[in-house]
Amino acid sequence: MRKLAAGAKTGSKPAECIPGNCPAKNGKNEENNNQAATYISECPMRQGEAGEPKDYINPLNMMPQPNQRPQPDQPFSLPTDRAKSTIPKADGKDGETWEYPSPQMFWNAMIRKGWRWQEASLEPKDMMDIIRIHNANNEQAWREVLKWEALHYSECRCPKLRKFGGKATDYSPRASMRYWLGYDLPFDRHDWIVDRCGKDVRYVIDYYDGGPVNPQNSEFTLLDVRPAMDSFENIWDRMRVAYWRWKLEWFNIAPKPHKLAEPPQVSDAATSSS
């Protein structure tokens, strides 16, 4: 015991928690022990790292640590598999993309935000449909971001998503102005930080109800995606695109394609000598 206490004072690695038993408690019966062994431990203490507080929020996605454990009163089991997106992860390994939450993680997130399943007659299929719609919305949003990023293709050919966060009740000035003009408010808002080859660019995404879900691609949301007006470069991009849209709508004049920088060509001499 003295050695353990001394090690703690000198900053040695904390003892690794037993999977499924953090905080450490003795199981009251065999069923509890088996359930704890089935699901991934959410112990905040990890080998070689300091413990994270119980209410730790990941700054990359503004979400708590992944929770794959079923709720005590959950009416049915849900898959814990996570699908990979096509959205490159800025702080990940080369070629790494963001992962979508599993149906179980999505359920736990809704419970944490105050949703009560007893008030809705949900079935497992409904949760799978919700996940498909959620993932389709994010893929659609990323495609819209890439359209804006095409304006800077010569500067950065592979933008990546660094972090994001939801601001459902923090309406953007554009959404508020539309509401004053008689339009509906968006049902959700996200702010995405895109890594443009070393430069962070913030995008604002407003999600509007677009009617019935498209059975072909699970899309039903109308997205308003644009760079935030927090830099001169973003303001200039929005002014250019607004002007192009005005010319296309009123005069049917499409913008000229940008002349993109091409990779250097290998000379014939170098090719013949290889």
Side-chain angles (χ1 to χ4, degrees), residues 78-99:
L78 289 169
T80 58
D81 298 332
R82 303 181 64 179
K84 285 188 174 294
S85 73
T86 63
I87 306 174
K89 194 172 185 179
D91 297 323
K93 299 178 181 178
D94 188 26
E96 183 179 358
T97 59
W98 285 88
E99 285 187 320

Side-chain angles (χ1 to χ4, degrees), residues 70-212:
Q71 298 294 317
D73 58 348
Q74 189 170 311
F76 45 76
S77 61
L78 289 169
T80 58
D81 298 332
R82 303 181 64 179
K84 285 188 174 294
S85 73
T86 63
I87 306 174
K89 194 172 185 179
D91 297 323
K93 299 178 181 178
D94 188 26
E96 183 179 358
T97 59
W98 285 88
E99 285 187 320
Y100 290 123
S102 68
Q104 183 63 62
M105 292 170 61
F106 206 93
W107 178 284
N108 293 339
M110 292 194 299
I111 293 293
R112 189 183 66 255
K113 294 179 180 179
W115 176 75
R116 294 295 175 261
W117 63 267
Q118 295 88 345
E119 302 173 2
S121 55
L122 281 182
E123 298 181 358
K125 179 183 179 300
D126 298 323
M127 284 302 302
M128 302 307 296
D129 291 340
I130 292 174
I131 288 294
R132 278 193 290 269
I133 293 172
H134 170 270
N135 297 355
N137 282 343
N138 282 278
E139 294 293 331
Q140 183 183 359
W142 181 246
R143 290 194 297 270
E144 293 298 318
V145 167
L146 291 181
K147 292 178 183 179
W148 286 97
E149 287 298 304
L151 299 174
H152 303 273
Y153 181 78
S154 58
E155 174 187 348
C156 180
R157 299 194 177 192
C158 187
K160 301 178 181 180
L161 180 60
R162 182 176 302 282
K163 59 182 179 179
F164 57 91
K167 297 183 177 181
T169 58
D170 185 8
Y171 300 115
S172 65
R174 181 183 178 115
S176 299
M177 186 177 299
R178 286 173 52 86
Y179 178 68
W180 296 335
L181 295 175
Y183 295 95
D184 293 334
L185 285 170
F187 65 83
D188 199 4
R189 169 192 168 180
H190 281 184
D191 281 19
W192 287 15
I193 306 299
V194 173
D195 175 19
R196 186 184 292 162
C197 295
K199 180 191 299 181
D200 285 350
V201 181
R202 183 167 67 95
Y203 280 84
V204 178
I205 306 174
D206 287 327
Y207 296 79
Y208 293 90
D209 189 350

Side-chain angles (χ1 to χ4, degrees), residues 2 25 35 70-71 74 83 90 131 136 144 157 192 216 228 236 243 249 264 270:
R2 291 182 180 177
K25 293 182 180 179
Q35 183 179 11
Q71 298 294 317
Q74 189 170 311
I131 288 294
E144 293 298 318
R157 299 194 177 192
W192 287 15
Q216 302 297 327
W236 177 244
Y243 175 64
E249 181 177 355

